[in-house]
Amino acid sequence: MSERRIFQTMDIKIFHFFNDLGYNYPFVGQTALFIATDFSVILFIGTLVCLIFRKYKGYENKPLGRFGIKFREIFFILFTSGIAWLVASVLKEIIGRLRPFVSLSGVHSLLVWGGHDSFPSTHATFFAALATAIFVTDRRVGYIYIFLALVISISRIIVGVHFPSDVFAGGILGFIIAYSILRIKNKIQSTV
């Protein structure tokens, strides 16, 4: 058996493990459905609110003071996660991988969403980039966001809309995009 075939078989087995959890334990399935849909939106809106009302120290000697620091931080976080979402969306259209509920039999679909747009997961990409950007600005809060990004990604497998490789690739992509934007940002700031 080729390495690619082994990888695909493992991907499907891991998918069924998580998807069966949601089916065999209704509480797990309903919780995953909430996390995969509503909680994702609540987390993003809550993040915006927290960033806007966050207190900043050491802004006295910065151009535009507290507003300048706040604006740059919010712009960096939103720009990073937005670019990550955009890149993942374009890749999805190019790759066109079928979602598990379309390509596999025996899937317990708790959420039917899309069809030919499974790889990479835009949710995993977006929240990995968001978590990385927040981690850079505040490590304590960043660890929480990394955990939440992982929970959101796993919930997308449980509800039947993504393979594990979709969310894994999305997570890696989100991190790479956030890290790349951070490097560019730091290079620009060091020349100014």
Side-chain angles (χ1 to χ4, degrees), residues 20-36:
D20 288 345
L21 276 176
Y23 179 75
N24 293 329
Y25 301 96
F27 174 76
V28 172
Q30 291 306 310
T31 303
L33 183 59
F34 170 73
I35 291 169

Side-chain angles (χ1 to χ4, degrees), residues 3-20:
E3 289 177 13
R4 183 173 184 220
R5 192 81 172 129
I6 292 170
F7 176 78
Q8 288 174 336
T9 303
M10 285 179 44
D11 200 26
I12 291 169
K13 284 183 179 183
I14 295 168
F15 167 79
H16 278 299
F17 170 78
F18 282 107
N19 186 241
D20 288 345

